[in-house]
Amino acid sequence: MHYPSITLWSDASFFSPYAMSVYVALTEKGLPFSLKRVDLAQQEQHDDAYRALSLTCRVPMLQIDELSLNESSAIAEYLEERFPAPAFERLYPADREKRARAREVQAWLRSDLAALRAERPTEVLFADERFEPLTPAGEQAKQKLIAAVQRMLPDGQQNLFGEWSIADTDLALMINRLALHGDTLPVKLQHYAAFQWQRASVQLWLAESGKTR
């Protein structure tokens, strides 16, 4: 099979949860790709060369043939359309309603729970850093996350929709901001996030970041 030329641009430290999401999506699809780094600490995302490629001057960015695309959920949806099942693995459920729910989960995790993302940054996941106890705002976001997952995840089920989707990786990452920090969580959430974290594509990303679990 002929594959297009694909490049994933990530932050240099591999701390971006959104670059991880795209890395997992590409890996699950079985697509060969090269990986390039952008040093955000040195503001390389604003260099002329990167600005010429990236509409938003952000990471991740996917280059595929002549297309350059930012925003991880947009990239995942593009990959799902361009490399569809059954020739390639699914990133989203086959069922229309479950697929809509998976996209809802992705959009929610990217637009809400700001206090949780700020107080439990991805340094928890990829550098074993520890931070102060959650503020009231952080605790409120934590409880909102717990309540949503308790509603969505059926008891005894290891994936949200009965089959893995990219939303599972994104959700497990958010839960693990707490679980890997040692914050108190229901056992159901701990087991779900731990199971998702052992997926081969996630472990490959952790190896890239120098952090395997």
Side-chain angles (χ1 to χ4, degrees):
M1 182 180 293
H2 174 72
Y3 292 102
S5 174
I6 303 175
T7 302
L8 170 61
W9 293 78
S10 170
D11 62 305
S13 61
F14 295 104
F15 280 8
S16 167
Y18 311 117
M20 173 179 159
S21 185
V22 175
Y23 182 100
V24 167
L26 288 165
T27 303
E28 294 286 344
K29 284 289 185 187
L31 297 168
F33 62 97
S34 59
L35 193 59
K36 293 188 177 181
R37 304 184 184 203
V38 181
D39 192 335
L40 304 183
Q42 298 298 319
Q43 297 289 302
E44 286 183 356
Q45 72 271 31
H46 298 301
D47 288 354
D48 289 344
Y50 194 72
R51 290 171 64 89
L53 295 171
S54 172
L55 180 67
T56 61
C57 300
R58 284 153 57 101
V59 294
M61 180 177 69
L62 184 78
Q63 281 183 280
I64 180 165
D65 292 334
E66 301 304 313
L67 175 68
S68 296
L69 187 64
N70 290 97
E71 304 305 321
S72 57
S73 57
I75 293 169
E77 292 185 26
Y78 171 77
L79 292 173
E80 187 78 329
E81 290 185 16
R82 179 156 179 181
F83 304 100
F88 299 89
E89 293 298 319
R90 292 186 184 279
L91 299 179
Y92 293 93
D95 177 80
R96 181 180 61 189
E97 280 66 35
K98 291 180 180 178
R99 190 163 62 248
R101 182 70 74 191
R103 288 169 171 161
E104 177 189 33
V105 169
Q106 285 189 293
W108 173 55
L109 294 173
R110 286 157 172 75
S111 62
D112 199 0
L113 309 177
L116 186 55
R117 285 185 276 118
E119 295 177 31
R120 295 293 181 265
T122 52
E123 283 81 354
V124 170
L125 305 171
F126 307 129
D128 272 341
E129 292 191 22
R130 293 296 177 264
F131 298 88
E132 295 296 320
L134 293 172
T135 66
E139 184 64 33
Q140 183 180 49
K142 169 188 163 181
Q143 294 304 323
K144 185 175 184 179
L145 174 66
I146 290 172
V149 179
Q150 295 279 37
R151 285 182 61 186
M152 286 190 292
L153 183 64
D155 289 340
Q157 191 163 296
Q158 294 175 315
N159 299 306
L160 286 174
F161 308 109
E163 56 183 322
W164 177 86
S165 79
I166 192 64
D168 284 300
T169 296
D170 290 347
L171 181 58
L173 189 149
M174 182 63 78
I175 296 170
N176 271 335
R177 291 174 185 265
L178 295 160
L180 297 181
H181 193 271
D183 293 290
T184 303
L185 286 170
V187 172
K188 177 179 175 179
L189 272 69
Q190 294 178 41
H191 287 175
Y192 166 78
F195 176 80
Q196 296 297 332
W197 217 237
Q198 293 305 311
R199 195 168 182 87
S201 55
V202 173
Q203 288 295 307
L204 285 171
W205 171 264
L206 294 175
E208 295 281 3
S209 72
K211 183 63 184 175
T212 55
R213 287 185 179 272

